[in-house]
mmCIF file of all heavy atoms in Angstrom:
data_model
loop_
_atom_site.group_PDB
_atom_site.id
_atom_site.type_symbol
_atom_site.label_atom_id
_atom_site.label_comp_id
_atom_site.label_asym_id
_atom_site.label_seq_id
_atom_site.Cartn_x
_atom_site.Cartn_y
_atom_site.Cartn_z
ATOM 1 N N ILE A 104 16.973 23.738 2.530
ATOM 2 C CA ILE A 104 16.611 22.483 1.855
ATOM 3 C C ILE A 104 16.423 22.770 0.364
ATOM 4 O O ILE A 104 16.104 23.904 -0.070
ATOM 5 C CB ILE A 104 15.350 21.844 2.417
ATOM 6 C CG1 ILE A 104 14.203 22.877 2.386
ATOM 7 C CG2 ILE A 104 15.565 21.362 3.831
ATOM 8 C CD1 ILE A 104 12.891 22.309 2.892
ATOM 9 N N GLU A 105 16.572 21.720 -0.457
ATOM 10 C CA GLU A 105 16.314 21.851 -1.868
ATOM 11 C C GLU A 105 14.843 21.689 -2.098
ATOM 12 O O GLU A 105 14.208 20.723 -1.680
ATOM 13 C CB GLU A 105 17.079 20.728 -2.593
ATOM 14 C CG GLU A 105 16.887 20.792 -4.132
ATOM 15 C CD GLU A 105 17.650 19.647 -4.811
ATOM 16 O OE1 GLU A 105 18.337 18.892 -4.112
ATOM 17 O OE2 GLU A 105 17.526 19.535 -6.028
ATOM 18 N N ARG A 106 14.233 22.601 -2.831
ATOM 19 C CA ARG A 106 12.839 22.591 -3.018
ATOM 20 C C ARG A 106 12.423 21.795 -4.253
ATOM 21 O O ARG A 106 13.119 21.746 -5.222
ATOM 22 C CB ARG A 106 12.316 24.022 -3.207
ATOM 23 C CG ARG A 106 12.509 24.903 -2.004
ATOM 24 C CD ARG A 106 12.113 26.347 -2.270
ATOM 25 N NE ARG A 106 10.727 26.444 -2.718
ATOM 26 C CZ ARG A 106 10.384 26.574 -4.010
ATOM 27 N NH1 ARG A 106 11.281 26.580 -4.964
ATOM 28 N NH2 ARG A 106 9.108 26.645 -4.323
ATOM 29 N N LEU A 107 11.218 21.200 -4.206
ATOM 30 C CA LEU A 107 10.590 20.603 -5.366
ATOM 31 C C LEU A 107 9.699 21.640 -6.031
ATOM 32 O O LEU A 107 9.354 22.678 -5.428
ATOM 33 C CB LEU A 107 9.711 19.422 -4.933
ATOM 34 C CG LEU A 107 10.496 18.180 -4.477
ATOM 35 C CD1 LEU A 107 9.539 17.173 -3.949
ATOM 36 C CD2 LEU A 107 11.302 17.591 -5.613
ATOM 37 N N PRO A 108 9.372 21.463 -7.286
ATOM 38 C CA PRO A 108 8.552 22.465 -7.986
ATOM 39 C C PRO A 108 7.172 22.625 -7.350
ATOM 40 O O PRO A 108 6.591 21.693 -6.847
ATOM 41 C CB PRO A 108 8.432 21.882 -9.410
ATOM 42 C CG PRO A 108 8.668 20.412 -9.245
ATOM 43 C CD PRO A 108 9.667 20.317 -8.120
ATOM 44 N N ILE A 109 6.666 23.860 -7.406
ATOM 45 C CA ILE A 109 5.336 24.158 -6.910
ATOM 46 C C ILE A 109 4.312 23.775 -7.988
ATOM 47 O O ILE A 109 4.415 24.200 -9.133
ATOM 48 C CB ILE A 109 5.137 25.663 -6.562
ATOM 49 C CG1 ILE A 109 6.176 26.055 -5.499
ATOM 50 C CG2 ILE A 109 3.733 25.945 -6.113
ATOM 51 C CD1 ILE A 109 5.989 25.338 -4.179
ATOM 52 N N LEU A 110 3.347 22.940 -7.627
ATOM 53 C CA LEU A 110 2.363 22.467 -8.587
ATOM 54 C C LEU A 110 1.153 23.406 -8.517
ATOM 55 O O LEU A 110 0.112 23.090 -7.975
ATOM 56 C CB LEU A 110 1.958 21.059 -8.270
ATOM 57 C CG LEU A 110 3.106 20.035 -8.202
ATOM 58 C CD1 LEU A 110 2.560 18.697 -7.820
ATOM 59 C CD2 LEU A 110 3.872 19.996 -9.475
ATOM 60 N N ASP A 111 1.345 24.607 -9.113
ATOM 61 C CA ASP A 111 0.278 25.615 -8.972
ATOM 62 C C ASP A 111 -0.582 25.759 -10.233
ATOM 63 O O ASP A 111 -1.310 26.717 -10.389
ATOM 64 C CB ASP A 111 0.872 27.000 -8.619
ATOM 65 C CG ASP A 111 1.853 27.465 -9.685
ATOM 66 O OD1 ASP A 111 2.149 26.680 -10.604
ATOM 67 O OD2 ASP A 111 2.334 28.607 -9.563
ATOM 68 N N HIS A 112 -0.480 24.798 -11.176
ATOM 69 C CA HIS A 112 -1.324 24.879 -12.361
ATOM 70 C C HIS A 112 -2.547 23.976 -12.161
ATOM 71 O O HIS A 112 -2.555 23.108 -11.335
ATOM 72 C CB HIS A 112 -0.561 24.450 -13.625
ATOM 73 C CG HIS A 112 0.327 23.291 -13.452
ATOM 74 N ND1 HIS A 112 1.462 23.305 -12.647
ATOM 75 C CD2 HIS A 112 0.259 22.027 -13.928
ATOM 76 C CE1 HIS A 112 2.064 22.134 -12.679
ATOM 77 N NE2 HIS A 112 1.340 21.356 -13.419
ATOM 78 N N ALA A 113 -3.569 24.229 -12.977
ATOM 79 C CA ALA A 113 -4.883 23.626 -12.703
ATOM 80 C C ALA A 113 -4.874 22.113 -12.947
ATOM 81 O O ALA A 113 -4.216 21.628 -13.844
ATOM 82 C CB ALA A 113 -5.905 24.260 -13.657
ATOM 83 N N TRP A 114 -5.543 21.425 -12.079
ATOM 84 C CA TRP A 114 -5.843 19.995 -12.262
ATOM 85 C C TRP A 114 -7.039 19.893 -13.199
ATOM 86 O O TRP A 114 -7.976 20.680 -13.122
ATOM 87 C CB TRP A 114 -6.164 19.320 -10.941
ATOM 88 C CG TRP A 114 -5.044 19.318 -9.977
ATOM 89 C CD1 TRP A 114 -4.574 20.364 -9.279
ATOM 90 C CD2 TRP A 114 -4.308 18.197 -9.569
ATOM 91 N NE1 TRP A 114 -3.529 20.005 -8.500
ATOM 92 C CE2 TRP A 114 -3.347 18.665 -8.635
ATOM 93 C CE3 TRP A 114 -4.305 16.831 -9.908
ATOM 94 C CZ2 TRP A 114 -2.420 17.817 -8.041
ATOM 95 C CZ3 TRP A 114 -3.411 16.005 -9.276
ATOM 96 C CH2 TRP A 114 -2.483 16.487 -8.388
ATOM 97 N N PRO A 115 -7.042 18.897 -14.099
ATOM 98 C CA PRO A 115 -8.176 18.776 -15.023
ATOM 99 C C PRO A 115 -9.491 18.496 -14.297
ATOM 100 O O PRO A 115 -9.493 17.713 -13.333
ATOM 101 C CB PRO A 115 -7.768 17.603 -15.924
ATOM 102 C CG PRO A 115 -6.812 16.812 -15.091
ATOM 103 C CD PRO A 115 -6.055 17.816 -14.261
ATOM 104 N N GLN A 116 -10.561 19.091 -14.764
ATOM 105 C CA GLN A 116 -11.881 18.891 -14.146
ATOM 106 C C GLN A 116 -12.831 18.422 -15.234
ATOM 107 O O GLN A 116 -12.616 18.614 -16.416
ATOM 108 C CB GLN A 116 -12.402 20.179 -13.519
ATOM 109 C CG GLN A 116 -11.504 20.766 -12.433
ATOM 110 C CD GLN A 116 -11.512 19.906 -11.210
ATOM 111 O OE1 GLN A 116 -12.565 19.337 -10.852
ATOM 112 N NE2 GLN A 116 -10.391 19.758 -10.547
ATOM 113 N N SER A 117 -13.942 17.822 -14.793
ATOM 114 C CA SER A 117 -14.940 17.286 -15.740
ATOM 115 C C SER A 117 -16.308 17.786 -15.330
ATOM 116 O O SER A 117 -16.847 17.352 -14.319
ATOM 117 C CB SER A 117 -14.908 15.747 -15.742
ATOM 118 O OG SER A 117 -15.978 15.225 -16.506
ATOM 119 N N GLU A 118 -16.836 18.787 -16.060
ATOM 120 C CA GLU A 118 -18.192 19.306 -15.885
ATOM 121 C C GLU A 118 -18.422 19.729 -14.418
ATOM 122 O O GLU A 118 -19.465 19.393 -13.831
ATOM 123 C CB GLU A 118 -19.215 18.261 -16.309
ATOM 124 C CG GLU A 118 -19.108 17.882 -17.773
ATOM 125 C CD GLU A 118 -20.117 16.813 -18.154
ATOM 126 O OE1 GLU A 118 -20.857 16.337 -17.247
ATOM 127 O OE2 GLU A 118 -20.205 16.503 -19.333
ATOM 128 N N GLY A 119 -17.440 20.401 -13.852
ATOM 129 C CA GLY A 119 -17.612 20.934 -12.505
ATOM 130 C C GLY A 119 -17.460 19.939 -11.380
ATOM 131 O O GLY A 119 -17.622 20.231 -10.223
ATOM 132 N N ARG A 120 -17.200 18.635 -11.690
ATOM 133 C CA ARG A 120 -17.061 17.609 -10.660
ATOM 134 C C ARG A 120 -15.593 17.371 -10.355
ATOM 135 O O ARG A 120 -14.727 17.580 -11.213
ATOM 136 C CB ARG A 120 -17.694 16.314 -11.126
ATOM 137 C CG ARG A 120 -19.199 16.391 -11.293
ATOM 138 C CD ARG A 120 -19.797 15.023 -11.634
ATOM 139 N NE ARG A 120 -19.344 14.571 -12.926
ATOM 140 C CZ ARG A 120 -18.492 13.591 -13.116
ATOM 141 N NH1 ARG A 120 -17.975 12.962 -12.080
ATOM 142 N NH2 ARG A 120 -18.147 13.231 -14.313
ATOM 143 N N ALA A 121 -15.316 16.916 -9.144
ATOM 144 C CA ALA A 121 -13.958 16.609 -8.780
ATOM 145 C C ALA A 121 -13.414 15.460 -9.624
ATOM 146 O O ALA A 121 -14.154 14.562 -10.029
ATOM 147 C CB ALA A 121 -13.877 16.241 -7.278
ATOM 148 N N VAL A 122 -12.111 15.507 -9.900
ATOM 149 C CA VAL A 122 -11.487 14.490 -10.738
ATOM 150 C C VAL A 122 -11.503 13.139 -10.013
ATOM 151 O O VAL A 122 -11.250 13.064 -8.815
ATOM 152 C CB VAL A 122 -10.043 14.885 -11.052
ATOM 153 C CG1 VAL A 122 -9.346 13.752 -11.826
ATOM 154 C CG2 VAL A 122 -10.001 16.144 -11.850
ATOM 155 N N GLU A 123 -11.824 12.053 -10.710
ATOM 156 C CA GLU A 123 -11.847 10.739 -10.127
ATOM 157 C C GLU A 123 -10.396 10.231 -10.013
ATOM 158 O O GLU A 123 -9.509 10.699 -10.707
ATOM 159 C CB GLU A 123 -12.666 9.788 -10.938
ATOM 160 C CG GLU A 123 -14.180 10.099 -10.891
ATOM 161 C CD GLU A 123 -15.017 9.027 -11.555
ATOM 162 O OE1 GLU A 123 -14.418 8.214 -12.313
ATOM 163 O OE2 GLU A 123 -16.210 8.998 -11.311
ATOM 164 N N LEU A 124 -10.240 9.240 -9.169
ATOM 165 C CA LEU A 124 -8.908 8.703 -8.902
ATOM 166 C C LEU A 124 -8.246 8.205 -10.167
ATOM 167 O O LEU A 124 -7.001 8.373 -10.378
ATOM 168 C CB LEU A 124 -9.025 7.572 -7.886
ATOM 169 C CG LEU A 124 -7.713 6.805 -7.501
ATOM 170 C CD1 LEU A 124 -6.750 7.783 -6.888
ATOM 171 C CD2 LEU A 124 -8.028 5.684 -6.574
ATOM 172 N N ASP A 125 -9.007 7.607 -11.057
ATOM 173 C CA ASP A 125 -8.432 7.059 -12.285
ATOM 174 C C ASP A 125 -7.733 8.130 -13.145
ATOM 175 O O ASP A 125 -6.669 7.935 -13.711
ATOM 176 C CB ASP A 125 -9.538 6.403 -13.134
ATOM 177 C CG ASP A 125 -8.976 5.570 -14.280
ATOM 178 O OD1 ASP A 125 -7.979 4.907 -14.085
ATOM 179 O OD2 ASP A 125 -9.564 5.623 -15.356
ATOM 180 N N ASP A 126 -8.342 9.331 -13.203
ATOM 181 C CA ASP A 126 -7.765 10.418 -13.955
ATOM 182 C C ASP A 126 -6.511 10.968 -13.247
ATOM 183 O O ASP A 126 -5.481 11.237 -13.883
ATOM 184 C CB ASP A 126 -8.736 11.583 -14.113
ATOM 185 C CG ASP A 126 -9.970 11.132 -14.925
ATOM 186 O OD1 ASP A 126 -9.798 10.405 -15.921
ATOM 187 O OD2 ASP A 126 -11.087 11.568 -14.562
ATOM 188 N N LEU A 127 -6.583 11.047 -11.931
ATOM 189 C CA LEU A 127 -5.436 11.569 -11.173
ATOM 190 C C LEU A 127 -4.234 10.678 -11.291
ATOM 191 O O LEU A 127 -3.071 11.167 -11.369
ATOM 192 C CB LEU A 127 -5.821 11.731 -9.696
ATOM 193 C CG LEU A 127 -6.835 12.840 -9.396
ATOM 194 C CD1 LEU A 127 -7.167 12.822 -7.898
ATOM 195 C CD2 LEU A 127 -6.371 14.180 -9.809
ATOM 196 N N LEU A 128 -4.428 9.367 -11.319
ATOM 197 C CA LEU A 128 -3.309 8.444 -11.391
ATOM 198 C C LEU A 128 -2.524 8.554 -12.674
ATOM 199 O O LEU A 128 -1.376 8.158 -12.771
ATOM 200 C CB LEU A 128 -3.803 7.004 -11.208
ATOM 201 C CG LEU A 128 -4.270 6.641 -9.818
ATOM 202 C CD1 LEU A 128 -4.844 5.235 -9.798
ATOM 203 C CD2 LEU A 128 -3.120 6.763 -8.824
ATOM 204 N N MET A 129 -3.174 9.131 -13.741
ATOM 205 C CA MET A 129 -2.517 9.210 -15.028
ATOM 206 C C MET A 129 -1.635 10.442 -15.178
ATOM 207 O O MET A 129 -0.936 10.627 -16.187
ATOM 208 C CB MET A 129 -3.555 9.210 -16.140
ATOM 209 C CG MET A 129 -4.433 7.954 -16.207
ATOM 210 S SD MET A 129 -3.470 6.472 -16.487
ATOM 211 C CE MET A 129 -2.871 6.793 -18.151
ATOM 212 N N LEU A 130 -1.678 11.363 -14.201
ATOM 213 C CA LEU A 130 -0.980 12.629 -14.304
ATOM 214 C C LEU A 130 0.481 12.498 -13.848
ATOM 215 O O LEU A 130 0.778 11.825 -12.853
ATOM 216 C CB LEU A 130 -1.665 13.699 -13.488
ATOM 217 C CG LEU A 130 -3.133 13.974 -13.868
ATOM 218 C CD1 LEU A 130 -3.766 14.942 -12.893
ATOM 219 C CD2 LEU A 130 -3.242 14.445 -15.280
ATOM 220 N N GLU A 131 1.356 13.202 -14.498
ATOM 221 C CA GLU A 131 2.772 13.187 -14.121
ATOM 222 C C GLU A 131 2.937 13.818 -12.713
ATOM 223 O O GLU A 131 3.790 13.343 -11.942
ATOM 224 C CB GLU A 131 3.618 13.950 -15.110
ATOM 225 C CG GLU A 131 3.768 13.255 -16.438
ATOM 226 C CD GLU A 131 4.713 13.993 -17.375
ATOM 227 O OE1 GLU A 131 5.291 14.980 -16.963
ATOM 228 O OE2 GLU A 131 4.866 13.533 -18.547
#
Side-chain angles (χ1 to χ4, degrees):
I104 56 177
E105 181 182 357
R106 296 174 58 259
L107 288 173
I109 300 298
L110 304 178
D111 59 354
H112 42 292
W114 295 72
Q116 301 290 323
S117 173
E118 300 178 355
R120 294 184 296 108
V122 175
E123 290 188 345
L124 178 61
D125 191 39
D126 298 320
L127 292 177
L128 289 175
M129 299 300 294
L130 301 176
E131 289 185 4

